[in-house]
Amino acid sequence: MKKLALSLTILLLILSSPKLTAQEDEHGNLQLKNDYIEIFVNQNELNRGRFAIHVTGGDPMRDGDNNKPLVYGHPYPWTSYTTIRIDGESYIFGGETDRRAGRDGNYGELVQAPTIEDDQIITTYKFDEVVVSQILSFVMSSTTGLPDTARIEYQVENTGEETKDVGSRIMIDTLLGENDGAPFRVEDQIIDGDKLFLKEDHLPYFWQTFDSLEEPKVTSQGTVVGPNLTPPDEMYFTNWGSLADDPWEFNFNSGREFIREGEFELDSAMALFWQPESLQPGETRTYATKYGLGGIDIVPGLLSVGVTSASTVVMERPDKTVDIIAYIQNTAEITVEDVEVKLDLPPNLSLVSDSENEVLGDLEPGETVQRMWQVRPEDFMKDSLEYTVKVDAENTDANQVSRSLGVVGPPDLSLELVGPDQISSYQNKLEADSFLVNAEIKNEGFSTAYDVSAQLALPPGLNVSRGEIQEKRLGHLLPGESIQLSWRIDPLQMVSGQLPYIVEVSSDNASNRVKKRTISLPSLEPKAEFEVFDLEDGFEEGDYLTVEVKLNNLISFYRGSFDIGYNDDVLEPIYVSRGNLFVEDGALLSWNSAEIDRGEAKIKGVSGVLDSARSIKSETFAQIHFRVKSPEELGLEFLDFNLYDRNEEEIELEIEDKAVYIGGS
C-alpha cells in the first residue's frame, strides 16, 4: 500500500505544472524559481549577468537536497563565467569583475540588463559588432523527466558587414551542497582529476556527480548531447582556479587532482568549448547546454547500488540505443569479495554491449565502481519498460535496484499551406500590393519536437513585406500541439506568370516537411505617364496644379532624363521638385534641377541618378507645379525621354502623354 501511494505521489508531481516565480531575491539578484531549482542572475554593475543555480524542493524522493547549491555563487554569483572568442580575442560575457574569475578578459557594452521574458532570464551584451544574448530557462531533465534543469543558452549574432571567427567557452563552478570536490561520473568512468573529452572521438550524453550512494545529499547532472542542445567540441573537467585565471586556453594537466590552482583545497569545475568558426554578416549561432538535477534510483545496503538512464527515449530511428549506468559502492567496513553485477532486461529491450554479467572483483571499504551497458528498445510502446541491476558478493548480502524506461515514438510534423491562386490587374497595376500566406504546423507524433522553424523560400519577383522575416523560429511543439503563422509577400509589378514559393518546416529531432504553392501574376507593361491631381472639383484661372511624372513596372532602373512640353496658353510653370524615387531613408539622391524655358514652353533637363539600380513598381520621378491660366487642354508631352539600367542599356517602355482638360467649377 505504501508503494502504491508513493507511485501516485510521483505521478501527480509529474503531471502537475510546477509553480514558477520570477522576482528579485533579498540580495538584489534576478531570480527564476520553481518547485525543484532556482536560477539567479547578478544585477550589480560588477559581475552583472553571471548566474548560479540552487536546489529548492529538489528531488521529490529525497529530503537532503533541499536548498542546496548546484553552482557556487551565493549571495552574488561571480565564479562561473562565459567567454566569447572573437577573431582571436577573449571577451567575458557580462559586467566587469574585481574578482579572480575572468579578470584578464575583455568586456563589452550592456545592451539589455537581466530581464525576465517568457519565463526566461535574458541578458544581452555587445562586443564591437557581435551581439550576444544569455538565455536561462527551465527544461526537463533527461533522467528525472522533471523541470529540474537549467538550459544555458547563448545566441550570437554578427551585426556587422564582415565575417567574424566566433567561438565560446562556458565554465561552470560545480558545488554539491557543501562538497566542492566531488568526482564527476561519466559513463563507466569516475573522474577525479583533469580529463578531456572530444566530440571527434566520443561525447557522452550526460555526466553526473554525487557525494555518496549511501546517503546522497545532491545529485547533479550536465547534459551535453540531445535535442535542442549544441554538442561542444571539447569538454574539460579540471580545477576551478585554472579556468578562473585564463578565459580561453588554461593550465590543463591530464590526471592532475582537482586542487585549486595556486592553493591547497579541492575545487572542481568543468568547461565546454566550441572552437571558433566563421560567422557571416547577419548570421546567428546558438550555443546551448543543460545543467541541473540528475535522476538516480538508489537502494542503500552494505553494497549500495544506484542506476541511471534516460527516463524516456524517443525512437526517431530504429537503431537508437540507450545507456544504462550502474553505480556500486561498498558501504561496509570490510572488503567485499568477488562482487558481480548483472543486468536483467525485459523482453522488449535487447543488449547491444558485450555481456549482461560482469565480475567486478573485490571492493575496499568506501570504494565505488560503475558500469555501463547499451540497450536497444525493440519498438515504442504505451507502457514503460522496467529493467533491474543486481549485485552479489561472496561475503555480504545481495542487492538490486529497478528503474523504468519510457519508450515513445518520434515527433511527426504536418504542414498545411494556404494562399491565393492569383492576383488580377486593373489599369496596368496589380489589384493588390501584397498577399498573405498562412501555414499551420502540427505535431502529430508521440513526443516533443524541438527547435522547430519554418523557412519561406521565394523566387525572383516575390519579396517578403517590410518588417517580415523569411525564417520563423517556433521553439518546441508538444504532441498534438499546433501553431498558425503567416507571411505577407509583395509581388513585383513587372514580373508575370506562375511563380512558385515553398515553405519548409524543420526540427532538431523530426523529419522535415515541405509544401509548395504557386501564384499567378498578370503581365504589366513598363510605362511612363503624367498623373494630374486635384481635378475633382475642376480649376479656374489662378488655381495651382501639380503634375507627377510616374514610372511604372520597371525591372532595373538606374538613371533617367527628359524634357517636358506644355500648352503655355493654359499653364504657367512655377517650379519643379524631385519625386520620392530620389529620396531614400530620408537621404536625398542625385537630382538635377530642371530649367524652365517659357519662350519655348518647355521644361528642360529633368534628370536623376540612384545610388544603385533597382526595380520600380510605381514611383514619382518629378513633381511639376503650375498655375492655371485658362481652362483648356494641358498639352503635356514628353520630349527626348531616356531611361537606363546599371549597364547603361536603354530601357524600353510605353510613354503615355495625357492631355487633360480643366473645366471650371
Side-chain angles (χ1 to χ4, degrees), residues 301-303 390-393 396-400:
L302 295 177
L303 271 178
K390 299 178 179 179
V391 291
D392 202 356
T396 191
D397 295 336
N399 199 359
Q400 67 180 45

Side-chain angles (χ1 to χ4, degrees), residues 356-371:
E356 297 176 342
N357 301 342
E358 186 170 352
V359 177
L360 304 179
D362 299 345
L363 291 184
E364 298 299 322
E367 184 179 359
T368 300
V369 294
Q370 55 199 69
R371 290 296 179 265

